[in-house]
Amino acid sequence: MHHVHDPQTRQTIVRLLSSMGSAKEITQYLKRFSQLDAARFAVVKVGGAVLRDDLEALASSLAFLQDVGLTPIVVHGAGPQLDEELGAAGIEKQTVNGLRVTSPEALAVVRRVFHAQNLRLVEALHGSDARATSIVSGVFEAEYLDRETYGLVGEVKRVNLAPIQASLQAGSIPVIASLGETAGGQILNVNADFAANELVQVLQPYKIVFLTGTGGLLDADGRVIDSINLSTEYEHLCAQPWINGGMRVKLQQIKDLLDGLPSASSVSITRPAELAKELFTHKGSGTLVRR
Ligand code: X2W
């Protein structure tokens, strides 16, 4: 293990240990994880709302992973920031099937906001004494999803791992914005969940983590569901009257994602401050989804 000197990281460890009661457990997980291919440990998707509301906890949790030799690969969105900045620019919001219709005027704002949010996260990571590399292009090769309907929105066709591998080889956390580009060099707006899913299919990581404000999938009473075993519970869950459309879509996406991965892979949905607890304890913190 690396020597841990950053006070924020130390704080995370103290919080983690006190919440677990046993250092044995964390050691077991660390050992297991250290036997995996370090370049494919985890893909972490960070929503724009987390960047807005929980940047400090996010940076220290990701820095902690790097400190224990498990450099995560981070893909981020910027949904709420885009709503705000596009609104300020007088561009009205229009979505189709949850995707933002993106005009040329909107794309200029989208690019600026993605770059700014990417840099904000990278700087926060540096502030937590982590190494992090800003990647805002060159990863997601895309084509127009449907130009008539969505405008300058992309569908990922190929993932170029070279910039990610270069960052990992330097021991630096790749921080990737979900912007795509066509073979002809046109930048396109890509939904961050879709971008993360494409990256996951190519990298086949051991852990896939979605960091959200809610800290997991919620049951009828608004409590975080501990774990979901898709092979036995999927149909049952989808048939529940309290499951809303958004959550059904999310579950379907996770199922599709896991279907393309080795059976040991799993998806965790949690909040930044609970990330280490989710990864290094039996009990976990958010929702763990297995196949
Ligand atoms: C998204 C990209 C940002 C995103 C958008 O414009 O909002 C499309 O809809 P979150 O915060 O992860 O939702 N792109 C095409 O996905 O951000």
Side-chain angles (χ1 to χ4, degrees), residues 107 111 136-137 144 152 179-182 185-189:
L107 185 72
R111 292 179 69 172
V136 292
S137 65
Y144 291 92
L152 301 171
L179 287 170
E181 61 230 66
T182 67
Q186 171 65 51
I187 304 290
L188 297 175
N189 181 10

Side-chain angles (χ1 to χ4, degrees), residues 17-277:
L17 289 176
S18 60
S19 72
M20 292 186 340
S22 143
K24 209 171 176 180
E25 209 171 318
I26 187 174
T27 312
Q28 274 175 5
Y29 277 95
L30 277 172
K31 271 203 188 120
R32 187 191 304 171
F33 293 156
S34 68
Q35 285 155 5
L36 302 166
D37 179 358
R40 297 194 295 125
F41 171 63
V43 168
V44 179
K45 190 264 170 169
V46 179
V50 169
L51 290 177
R52 182 192 56 197
D53 301 332
D54 215 2
L55 189 66
E56 290 282 301
L58 174 66
S60 67
S61 291
L62 295 173
F64 171 74
L65 288 185
Q66 183 178 59
D67 267 326
V68 298
L70 298 167
T71 303
I73 296 162
V74 177
V75 185
H76 71 87
Q81 293 86 349
L82 290 171
D83 287 349
E84 196 180 317
E85 291 291 318
L86 288 163
I91 299 169
E92 211 174 303
K93 181 174 180 174
Q94 196 196 337
T95 59
V96 177
N97 300 319
L99 299 174
R100 189 186 309 275
V101 176
T102 307
S103 66
E105 302 73 50
L107 185 72
V109 177
V110 168
R111 292 179 69 172
R112 172 165 62 73
V113 169
F114 260 115
H115 284 233
Q117 292 305 315
N118 184 278
L119 210 57
R120 241 182 106 233
L121 176 51
V122 167
E123 280 172 358
L125 283 164
H126 291 165
S128 288
D129 278 349
R131 278 148 293 151
T133 304
S134 163
I135 302 178
V136 292
S137 65
V139 170
F140 301 113
E141 286 181 26
E143 276 172 19
Y144 291 92
L145 176 60
D146 170 357
R147 199 170 177 175
E148 291 274 289
T149 309
Y150 300 101
L152 301 171
V153 166
E155 172 179 34
V156 176
K157 289 292 173 187
R158 216 183 74 85
V159 177
N160 178 19
L161 292 179
I164 297 170
Q165 280 157 349
S167 171
L168 290 173
Q169 261 155 33
S172 182
I173 299 172
V175 178
I176 311 160
S178 70
L179 287 170
E181 61 230 66
T182 67
Q186 171 65 51
I187 304 290
L188 297 175
N189 181 10
V190 177
N191 173 275
D193 282 323
F194 291 4
N197 289 356
E198 291 301 322
L199 188 57
V200 161
Q201 296 301 339
V202 175
L203 269 170
Q204 304 263 303
Y206 180 70
K207 292 294 307 189
I208 300 110
V209 182
F210 290 91
L211 293 179
T212 66
T214 55
L217 294 179
L218 306 180
D219 69 12
D221 304 319
R223 277 188 302 249
V224 170
I225 300 171
D226 220 45
S227 70
I228 297 173
N229 191 329
L230 288 175
S231 60
T232 55
E233 292 169 89
Y234 179 71
E235 313 256 310
H236 177 72
L237 259 176
C238 284
Q240 295 301 307
W242 51 264
I243 269 215
N244 63 31
M247 180 155 160
R248 201 172 282 122
V249 169
K250 190 95 203 167
L251 264 181
Q252 173 77 54
Q253 278 179 1
I254 292 172
K255 187 179 185 301
D256 292 347
L257 191 65
L258 282 174
D259 279 343
L261 294 177
S263 59
S265 298
S266 61
V267 169
S268 289
I269 306 161
T270 188
R271 60 169 60 88
E274 309 254 272
L275 177 59
K277 189 176 173 197

